[in-house]
Amino acid sequence: MRLLAASSCLALIAATAHADPLPSWNDTDTKASIIEFVETVTDPDSDSFVPVQDRIATFDNDGCLWSEQPAYFQALYAIDVLKEKAAEDPSILSSDILTAAAEGDMDTVMAGGVEGLLEVINVSHANTTVDAFQADAYDWLTTATHPATGLPYAEMVYQPMLELLGYLRDEGFTTYIVSGGGIDFIRAYADEAYGIPPWQVVGTEGNTSYEVVDGVPQLSKEGGISFVDDKEGKPVGIIRHIGQRPIFSAGNSDGDFAMLEYTTSGEGARFGMLVHHTDAEREFAYDRDSHVGQLNRGLDEGPERGWTIVDMAQDWGKVFPSD
Amino acid sequence: MRLLAASSCLALIAATAHADPLPSWNDTDTKASIIEFVETVTDPDSDSFVPVQDRIATFDNDGCLWSEQPAYFQALYAIDVLKEKAAEDPSILSSDILTAAAEGDMDTVMAGGVEGLLEVINVSHANTTVDAFQADAYDWLTTATHPATGLPYAEMVYQPMLELLGYLRDEGFTTYIVSGGGIDFIRAYADEAYGIPPWQVVGTEGNTSYEVVDGVPQLSKEGGISFVDDKEGKPVGIIRHIGQRPIFSAGNSDGDFAMLEYTTSGEGARFGMLVHHTDAEREFAYDRDSHVGQLNRGLDEGPERGWTIVDMAQDWGKVFPSD
């Protein structure tokens, strides 16, 4: 009986090994290039073999692992929080951007660029403990719904990317998020959504303080930004947190250019991926002129740098898990 | 034959499980308290069982995992580098502290406190790439020798703490360094010395920039400090890098007080450890009046907080691996 069980077990393992690791990816060159890379760096007989501890993969979050339209979900959350706070204390609306945000005037907020968004986030996310902030963010993400899809935000993750994360981990990779979004916000759901624990999330950091209040130690978000993990900040965030150059990086905007450049300029086999939002039917179509996730230089230079451009409409069999 | 091999294997595993995991620790209450804690949190039948992903242990470095007398080794390294730089360009010695450091006048440097040390480190460690800095630091650590012991600095790690790190990892813990020392400096040797990879090192961070020079992406140390991972900064460093409260923390000075306070105030079984330098024969004896690793509040409040005070002279059978 034991031998029988063992042999069934082996058969199952063999079947699993040959099963399609990326079932939501269509059988295009893109899927083939991913699998070829992974098989090459994990093959001990390959000249491009990479030991497990060096199999580091980094992923942007907004627009790469989940949606980012009509605005970064964290910005939408920040506006909801700002409205609540302003209802109690209108004096916090100390600028035109903040007033516009509290009125839901997204055009004015987005016209303020990253600085405008940071101002909203800064005011809405300050003066709370990290624990309370994450509990509130988690609640919002799993209950508030997206204006276009009607899905809870937490369900707007990309099924093909979930499969890619799992495939890489099954092959010995460690998968990190390296996002321009807030590190505390992403950690509120990254483990549940992506299987990525807090210590594998790198993001923009707010000023944080430690103090003992009524005998209870607590970590508080003070307001103000201490580190912006975007553009040239992404390789810096990687060296601060991971301390080692990745061999695989995925992004979707020019905010990820430096990360892909850093990753793919290392020696040996490297993989750079840009998710191109081409699917207005199932998600959103945008690139060069978008107010979020703008992608210009990556489209121009990516192919000659050997980066893989994912055509969402063509390469993905489904977008969201619920599709 | 296979069955025989398997049964030999099992016998070996059983023997290993019962072998002393901490052979360089004397059979004192200290050793017993460590083993009791580990056995409790790893026992699935215990009310205090902690799942593997929550078994996070953090260790201070200077004075906890290796020596810190007559000054932090990083400071001694910084002074050596400063001397070399000043020989080429004396104009960098723009303050009394820097001049004293380049002349080897440690008393003046130490009298300048942490700010004085940071000034020396700041000037000596700036304007280099992270890669070049780490290669140089590694070279120094493995070749320069300590004035009192004559050992290369890299060999002045504590054998009992190496065993503790290994024991915890064998029992499913993830072991982090959380140090006031520089993150790039510690990472230069932490993997080789302690089996701790770069992404499990938290430390003081200098300003770092990413740029492409002659077509080659590089990360450079700009000079200036962006984050001080000491005292109340340690819980902040933990939440930034790990994102979760540890269940075990070890330190040796009041710079570790906040970390131990944060760790041991969480729910469930917790372990706080302070290494007390009591051994003038084999290492150094210092605590309340020391210019480095000062330990006052920890000695006063540690016992009533349930922290374990390690008496190096009494609890350790050996100090350095070469003893």
Side-chain angles (χ1 to χ4, degrees):
Chain A
M1 276 302 282
R2 281 218 185 146
L3 277 176
L4 195 63
S7 91
S8 303
C9 226
L10 286 174
L12 184 66
I13 290 166
T16 309
H18 291 99
D20 183 351
L22 302 171
S24 297
W25 292 71
N26 294 328
D27 287 323
T28 62
D29 288 349
T30 300
K31 177 173 178 171
S33 74
I34 296 169
I35 292 175
E36 187 194 350
F37 171 78
V38 172
E39 290 186 343
T40 299
V41 298
T42 58
D43 175 3
D45 297 326
S46 161
D47 288 342
S48 301
F49 176 74
V50 176
V52 164
Q53 75 167 15
D54 295 331
R55 291 182 204 160
I56 293 171
T58 59
F59 290 80
D60 174 51
N61 188 40
D62 296 302
C64 182
L65 296 181
W66 73 352
S67 294
E68 61 182 351
Q69 295 283 4
Y72 300 122
F73 293 176
Q74 187 178 0
L76 301 176
Y77 168 64
I79 288 169
D80 278 1
V81 174
L82 188 74
K83 284 178 189 170
E84 282 175 36
K85 286 191 172 182
E88 287 182 23
D89 178 8
S91 75
I92 65 168
L93 304 178
S94 55
S95 76
D96 292 346
I97 293 274
L98 291 169
T99 305
E103 287 168 355
D105 173 5
M106 282 306 293
D107 290 342
T108 301
V109 176
M110 300 309 291
V114 171
E115 286 69 27
L117 276 179
L118 285 179
E119 190 177 347
V120 174
I121 286 170
N122 203 12
V123 172
S124 82
H125 294 187
N127 301 319
T128 177
T129 66
V130 174
D131 286 347
F133 171 78
Q134 291 188 318
D136 192 64
Y138 179 84
D139 184 55
W140 183 88
L141 283 162
T142 50
T143 56
T145 53
H146 189 274
T149 66
L151 292 169
Y153 291 100
E155 293 179 25
M156 289 183 68
V157 295
Y158 302 137
Q159 177 63 27
M161 297 304 278
L162 296 180
E163 292 167 9
L164 177 55
L165 288 168
Y167 173 46
L168 290 173
R169 290 195 292 258
D170 286 347
E171 298 295 333
F173 282 73
T174 304
T175 55
Y176 287 85
I177 290 173
V178 177
S179 170
I183 191 166
D184 296 326
F185 184 79
I186 301 167
R187 284 172 169 169
Y189 62 93
D191 204 351
E192 189 171 308
Y194 309 127
I196 296 182
W199 49 88
Q200 284 154 11
V201 175
V202 182
T204 291
E205 294 169 3
N207 294 322
T208 308
S209 66
Y210 173 83
E211 59 182 339
V212 179
V213 180
D214 297 333
V216 180
Q218 60 186 39
L219 286 151
S220 298
K221 294 172 76 68
E222 293 181 309
I225 306 288
S226 55
F227 176 64
V228 178
D229 189 58
D230 197 27
K231 300 190 178 75
E232 278 67 30
K234 290 205 173 194
V236 174
I238 287 170
I239 207 70
R240 280 189 179 179
H241 283 259
I242 310 175
Q244 191 169 312
R245 196 194 303 240
I247 64 167
F248 180 111
S249 286
N252 72 295
S253 80
D254 285 347
D256 303 310
F257 193 94
M259 174 168 76
L260 267 69
E261 178 181 62
Y262 175 58
T263 295
T264 60
S265 61
E267 286 178 17
R270 304 277 159 165
F271 200 93
M273 170 187 287
L274 285 171
V275 175
H276 189 193
H277 291 262
T278 53
D279 196 331
E281 292 289 314
R282 297 181 300 180
E283 204 237 8
F284 307 99
Y286 59 97
D287 45 38
R288 295 181 186 275
D289 300 318
S290 177
H291 62 288
V292 288
Q294 197 170 73
L295 182 63
N296 276 308
R297 196 176 167 201
L299 286 179
D300 292 338
E301 296 183 29
E304 72 201 39
R305 287 171 179 262
W307 299 350
T308 296
I309 313 292
V310 175
D311 181 329
M312 281 176 71
Q314 193 182 325
D315 291 326
W316 286 4
K318 65 196 295 189
V319 175
F320 303 122
S322 58
D323 280 356
Chain B
M1 278 299 284
R2 279 215 187 148
L3 277 176
L4 196 62
S7 92
S8 303
C9 227
L10 286 173
L12 183 67
I13 290 166
T16 308
H18 290 99
D20 183 350
L22 302 172
S24 298
W25 291 71
N26 293 329
D27 287 322
T28 62
D29 288 351
T30 300
K31 177 174 179 170
S33 74
I34 296 169
I35 292 174
E36 187 194 351
F37 171 78
V38 173
E39 290 185 344
T40 300
V41 298
T42 58
D43 175 2
D45 296 327
S46 162
D47 289 342
S48 301
F49 176 74
V50 176
V52 164
Q53 74 166 15
D54 296 331
R55 291 181 203 160
I56 293 170
T58 59
F59 290 79
D60 174 49
N61 187 42
D62 296 303
C64 182
L65 296 181
W66 74 351
S67 295
E68 61 183 351
Q69 294 283 5
Y72 300 124
F73 293 176
Q74 187 178 0
L76 301 177
Y77 168 64
I79 288 169
D80 278 1
V81 173
L82 188 72
K83 284 178 189 171
E84 281 176 36
K85 285 191 173 183
E88 287 182 22
D89 178 10
S91 74
I92 65 169
L93 304 177
S94 55
S95 76
D96 292 346
I97 293 276
L98 292 170
T99 304
E103 288 168 354
D105 172 7
M106 282 307 293
D107 289 342
T108 302
V109 176
M110 299 311 290
V114 171
E115 286 68 27
L117 276 180
L118 285 179
E119 191 178 346
V120 174
I121 286 170
N122 203 12
V123 172
S124 84
H125 294 187
N127 302 317
T128 178
T129 65
V130 174
D131 286 346
F133 172 79
Q134 291 187 319
D136 192 64
Y138 179 85
D139 184 55
W140 183 88
L141 284 162
T142 51
T143 56
T145 54
H146 190 273
T149 65
L151 292 169
Y153 292 100
E155 291 179 26
M156 289 183 68
V157 295
Y158 302 137
Q159 177 63 26
M161 297 305 277
L162 295 181
E163 293 168 9
L164 177 55
L165 288 169
Y167 173 47
L168 290 173
R169 289 194 293 259
D170 285 347
E171 296 295 332
F173 282 73
T174 304
T175 54
Y176 287 84
I177 290 173
V178 177
S179 170
I183 191 167
D184 296 325
F185 184 78
I186 301 167
R187 283 171 170 169
Y189 62 92
D191 204 351
E192 189 172 309
Y194 308 126
I196 296 183
W199 48 89
Q200 284 155 10
V201 175
V202 182
T204 291
E205 295 170 2
N207 294 321
T208 308
S209 66
Y210 173 84
E211 59 181 339
V212 179
V213 179
D214 297 334
V216 179
Q218 60 186 38
L219 287 152
S220 298
K221 294 173 76 67
E222 293 179 312
I225 306 291
S226 55
F227 175 65
V228 178
D229 189 58
D230 196 29
K231 301 189 176 75
E232 278 67 28
K234 290 206 174 195
V236 175
I238 288 169
I239 207 70
R240 281 190 179 179
H241 283 259
I242 310 175
Q244 191 169 311
R245 197 194 304 239
I247 64 166
F248 180 111
S249 286
N252 71 295
S253 80
D254 285 348
D256 303 310
F257 193 94
M259 174 167 77
L260 267 68
E261 177 182 61
Y262 175 58
T263 295
T264 60
S265 61
E267 287 178 15
R270 303 276 161 166
F271 200 93
M273 170 187 287
L274 284 171
V275 175
H276 188 192
H277 291 261
T278 53
D279 196 332
E281 292 288 316
R282 297 181 299 179
E283 205 237 10
F284 308 98
Y286 59 97
D287 45 37
R288 295 182 186 275
D289 299 318
S290 177
H291 62 288
V292 289
Q294 196 169 75
L295 182 63
N296 277 307
R297 196 176 168 200
L299 286 179
D300 292 337
E301 296 183 29
E304 72 201 39
R305 288 171 180 261
W307 300 349
T308 296
I309 313 292
V310 176
D311 181 330
M312 281 177 70
Q314 191 181 326
D315 291 326
W316 287 3
K318 65 196 291 189
V319 176
F320 303 122
S322 58
D323 280 357

